[in-house]
C-alpha cells in the first residue's frame, strides 16, 4: 500500500514551523511525525503539502493510496486499523478525519459516501505550536517504547550517576561521562553519537537525537527534545529543538520550541510565566492577532534559520518567524515577523541575499548544502510574510 501524509487544517496554526516544512516533518518526542508513521508501518511515505514545498517534499501517488492526517501521532491500534482500510472507508476521531482510502481516479473525496469508522482510543494530535512542547512528555514516552522494544541499551559508563536505570537507553557511539541522569519522572534516550559532557544534570523525560550534545554543566528538565546535531548548554525546561539548532551557553530556555538552524546567543533568556500569572497569549497567524493558549507557562516559538545575539531577553509568549536576526538590549516585541533584523529599538527588513549567505555557511558546517530547493522555499516565505513587516 502507498501511504501519503497530508497537512490538514492545522497547517496555519502551526506556523512559523510549517512555513519551511510539512506538518509531517515536525519533531515531537524523539522522532518526527513522519518517522513515527514510517517506523510503525515499515514503509516510506510521501506528502501532500503547500505547492512551494513540493520540490523538496514531493508526493508519490499510485493506483491505491491511504491518506494520513499528519497532525495525529500513530499508535499500534491506529496502525492496525489503517492497514485494514479498504476502498471507500475512512477513520475519524470526532469531526477530524485521520485516514482514508483513495484511488488515483478520484477527483475529490466525498466522505458522505464513505463508511466512517470512529477511532475510540486516546490519540495525541498536534494542533497548535504549543502542543509541540506541552505534549512532548507523552510523545517521548511513546517513541521510547517504540524504539527500544526488544533491544538492549549500550553500556552506561560507571562514572555516570543513574536513577531508574531501566528507563535510560543509550545508543551505540554515544559518549557520557560524570553526568547525572534521573529517569524517575520520564525516560531518557541518548541517540547515536550523542555526547553528554561532564557535570550535566538531567531529569527526564529527555530525547537526545543523533549527534546532539549537552555541554558542560547543563541542567535539563523534562520533557525536552534535542533534535539531530543540536548543541545545548545552560538551563532548559520542557522545550523542543527540532534539529541543527544551538543554545550552547548559559541562559534559560523554557516551554519553548526552536525550529531548525536556529542559534540562541550566550546568556540569553526567555520568560515562560507572566508576572501576574495570567494566561499566556501567542501571535495567531490565522487571525492576525494574539490569541489565548490556555497555558500559564509558554515561552518562545522560533522559526527555522532565526537567531539572536548575546543577552537577548524574550518576553513570555514570543513568536519569532523564519530567518529573523534579533539583537540589542531590552525586550523585543512579542511577535517578530520573518526576515526581521533588529531588536527592541526597532527592526529593518533582513534581505534574502544576506539570509542566504548565512544559511550557506551554517549548513556547510554540518556538511549539508544550501541548494536551490532551500532558496526557493525561503524566497517564497519572504514574499508571503511581507504583510507582517510594517515596522
Amino acid at each position: 500500500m502507498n501511504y501519503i501524509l497530508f497537512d490538514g487544517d492545522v497547517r496555519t496554526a502551526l506556523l512559523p514551523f510549517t512555513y519551511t516544512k510539512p506538518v509531517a516533518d515536525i519533531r515531537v518526542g524523539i522522532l518526527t511525525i513522519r518517522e513515527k508513521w514510517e517506523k510503525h508501518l515499515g514503509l516510506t511515505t510521501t506528502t501532500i503539502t503547500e505547492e512551494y514545498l513540493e520540490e523538496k517534499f514531493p508526493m508519490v501517488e499510485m493506483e491505491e493510496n491511504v491518506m494520513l492526517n499528519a497532525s495525529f501521532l500513530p499508535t499500534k491500534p491506529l496502525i492496525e486499523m489503517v492497514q485494514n482500510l479498504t476502498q471507500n472507508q475512512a477513520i475519524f476521531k470526532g469531526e477530524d478525519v485521520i485516514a482514508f482510502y483513495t484511488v488515483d481516479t478520484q477527483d475529490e473525496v466525498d466522505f458522505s459516501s464513505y463508511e466512517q469508522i470512529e477511532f475510540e482510543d486516546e490519540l495525541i494530535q498536534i494542533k497548535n505550536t504549543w502542543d509541540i512542547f506541552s505534549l512532548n512528555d507523552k510523545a517521548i514516552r511513546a517513541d521510547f517504547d517504540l524504539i527500544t522494544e526488544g533491544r538492549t541499551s549500550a553500556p552506561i559508563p560507571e562514572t555516570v550517576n543513574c536513577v531508574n536505570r531501566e528507563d535510560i537507553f543509550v545508543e551505540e557511539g554515544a559518549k557520557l561521562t560524570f553526568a547525572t541522569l534521573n529517569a524517575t519522572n520520564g525516560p531518557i534516550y541518548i541517540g547515536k553519537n550523542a555526547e553528554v559532557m561532564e557535570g550535566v544534570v538531567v531529569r527526564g523525560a529527555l530525547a537526545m537525537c543523533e549527534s546532539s550534545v549537552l555541554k558542560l554543566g547543563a541542567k535539563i528538565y523534562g520533557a525536552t527534545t534535542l533534535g539531530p546535531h543540536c548543541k545545548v548548554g545552560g538551563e532548559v525546561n520542557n522545550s523542543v529543538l527540532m534539529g541543527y539548532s544551538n543554545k550552547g551557553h548559559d541562559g534559560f530556555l523554557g516551554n519553548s520550541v526552536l525550529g531548525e538552524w536556529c542559534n540562541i546567543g550566550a546568556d540569553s533568556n526567555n520568560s515562560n510565566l507572566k508576572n501576574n500569572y495570567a494566561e499566556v497569549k501567542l501571535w495567531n497567524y490565522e487571525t492576525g492577532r494574539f490569541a489565548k493558549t490556555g497555558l500559564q507557562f509558554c515561552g518562545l516559538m522560533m522559526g527555522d534559520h532565526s537567531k539572536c545575539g548575546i543577552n537577548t531577553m524574550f518576553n513570555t509568549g514570543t513568536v519569532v518567524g523564519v530567518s529573523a536576526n534579533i539583537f540589542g538590549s531590552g525586550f523585543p516585541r512579542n511577535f517578530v515577523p520573518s526576515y526581521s533584523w533588529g531588536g527592541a529599538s526597532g527592526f529593518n527588513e533582513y534581505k534574502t541575499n544576506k539570509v542566504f549567505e548565512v544559511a550557506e555557511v551554517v549548513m556547510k558546517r554540518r556538511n549539508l548544502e544550501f541548494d536551490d530547493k532551500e532558496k526557493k522555499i525561503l524566497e517564497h516565505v519572504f514574499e508571503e510574510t511581507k504583510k507582517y513587516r510594517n515596522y
Side-chain angles (χ1 to χ4, degrees):
M1 181 55 68
N2 185 47
Y3 293 97
I4 302 172
L5 289 153
F6 65 91
D7 286 346
D9 58 5
V10 302
R11 188 253 173 185
T12 305
L14 291 170
L15 295 173
F17 306 113
T18 47
Y19 272 134
T20 47
K21 60 175 68 67
V23 173
D25 292 281
I26 287 174
R27 187 176 302 277
V28 56
I30 302 171
L31 305 169
T32 65
I33 297 172
R34 182 190 305 281
E35 289 167 346
K36 299 178 204 298
W37 279 100
E38 291 183 345
K39 192 163 183 65
H40 274 285
L41 291 167
L43 296 167
T44 58
T45 63
T46 58
T47 309
I48 296 177
T49 187
E50 298 296 303
E51 185 176 350
Y52 72 93
L53 295 172
E54 287 177 353
E55 188 177 358
K56 183 177 178 182
F57 304 97
M59 180 188 73
V60 176
E61 189 176 32
M62 297 185 180
E63 290 183 6
E64 297 175 297
N65 309 280
V66 170
M67 303 293 182
L68 304 169
N69 186 335
S71 69
F72 286 95
L73 308 192
T75 62
K76 287 182 179 180
L78 177 58
I79 290 295
E80 183 178 350
M81 192 177 285
V82 165
Q83 290 175 326
N84 288 326
L85 275 177
T86 59
Q87 196 164 342
N88 278 30
Q89 285 187 328
I91 302 169
F92 277 77
K93 183 72 173 174
E95 298 296 318
D96 295 314
V97 62
I98 301 173
F100 61 96
Y101 191 109
T102 185
V103 294
D104 64 351
T105 55
Q106 286 180 279
D107 292 327
E108 57 184 55
V109 176
D110 179 10
F111 287 121
S112 65
S113 66
Y114 271 62
E115 178 190 354
Q116 298 185 14
I117 305 166
E118 180 70 15
F119 186 79
E120 302 289 351
D121 293 351
E122 183 181 344
L123 282 177
I124 298 173
Q125 185 181 15
I126 305 300
K127 297 185 289 187
N128 301 287
T129 54
W130 58 87
D131 292 335
I132 299 170
F133 73 78
S134 62
L135 298 175
N136 198 41
D137 184 86
K138 290 182 178 179
I140 289 176
R141 291 171 191 270
D143 285 352
F144 186 88
D145 291 342
L146 178 66
I147 291 171
T148 65
E149 185 177 12
R151 302 177 62 214
T152 302
S153 170
I156 300 173
E158 292 181 1
T159 60
V160 177
N161 181 29
C162 296
V163 183
N164 203 29
R165 183 181 290 262
E166 60 269 24
D167 281 340
I168 300 172
F169 193 95
V170 178
E171 297 282 6
E172 293 293 335
K175 296 185 289 186
L176 304 88
T177 182
F178 292 103
T180 296
L181 306 179
N182 184 349
T184 301
N185 294 331
I188 295 173
Y189 175 82
I190 312 295
K192 182 180 178 183
N193 299 325
E195 182 176 7
V196 180
M197 295 184 182
E198 298 92 321
V200 168
V201 180
V202 172
R203 175 169 288 191
L206 170 70
M208 287 186 72
C209 298
E210 183 172 349
S211 299
S212 59
V213 177
L214 281 174
K215 299 183 76 174
L216 290 167
K219 301 182 289 293
I220 312 297
Y221 305 84
T224 289
T225 294
L226 279 60
H229 297 274
C230 288
K231 294 184 178 180
V232 167
E235 184 179 3
V236 178
N237 175 43
N238 191 198
S239 296
V240 174
L241 288 73
M242 291 193 191
Y244 299 95
S245 290
N246 296 330
K247 181 209 167 294
H249 305 283
D250 284 345
F252 175 71
L253 183 72
N255 304 99
S256 297
V257 182
L258 306 185
E260 296 180 331
W261 307 107
C262 298
N263 190 71
I264 303 293
D267 288 319
S268 294
N269 295 278
N270 79 275
S271 168
N272 61 345
L273 174 67
K274 295 173 71 71
N275 283 354
N276 62 359
Y277 290 68
E279 179 182 352
V280 179
K281 294 182 179 180
L282 272 185
W283 175 261
N284 185 303
Y285 283 92
E286 291 181 294
T287 63
R289 57 175 68 103
F290 289 89
K292 293 180 178 181
T293 63
L295 300 175
Q296 192 175 52
F297 288 88
C298 186
L300 170 67
M301 305 288 141
M302 178 179 277
D304 288 6
H305 292 283
S306 287
K307 296 165 177 65
C308 70
I310 61 170
N311 297 115
T312 303
M313 299 185 297
F314 291 105
N315 259 312
T316 319
T318 294
V319 174
V320 176
V322 173
S323 297
N325 197 310
I326 301 166
F327 53 87
S329 61
F331 288 92
R333 63 197 203 183
N334 285 37
F335 171 53
V336 178
S338 299
Y339 295 90
S340 295
W341 173 281
S345 59
F347 285 97
N348 295 308
E349 191 170 71
Y350 193 8
K351 301 300 182 183
T352 54
N353 63 320
K354 296 297 184 182
V355 169
F356 294 169
E357 285 177 12
V358 174
E360 186 172 358
V361 172
V362 169
M363 292 180 70
K364 190 175 181 180
R365 293 177 69 234
R366 295 289 180 263
N367 299 313
L368 294 172
E369 181 186 2
F370 181 64
D371 58 19
D372 286 340
K373 292 179 185 178
E374 301 286 349
K375 288 179 184 177
K376 289 176 184 177
I377 290 171
L378 291 183
E379 283 171 347
H380 180 94
V381 176
F382 178 83
E383 296 298 327
E384 187 176 334
T385 58
K386 272 186 174 180
K387 58 188 175 184
Y388 300 115
R389 294 191 290 275
N390 52 349
Y391 308 126

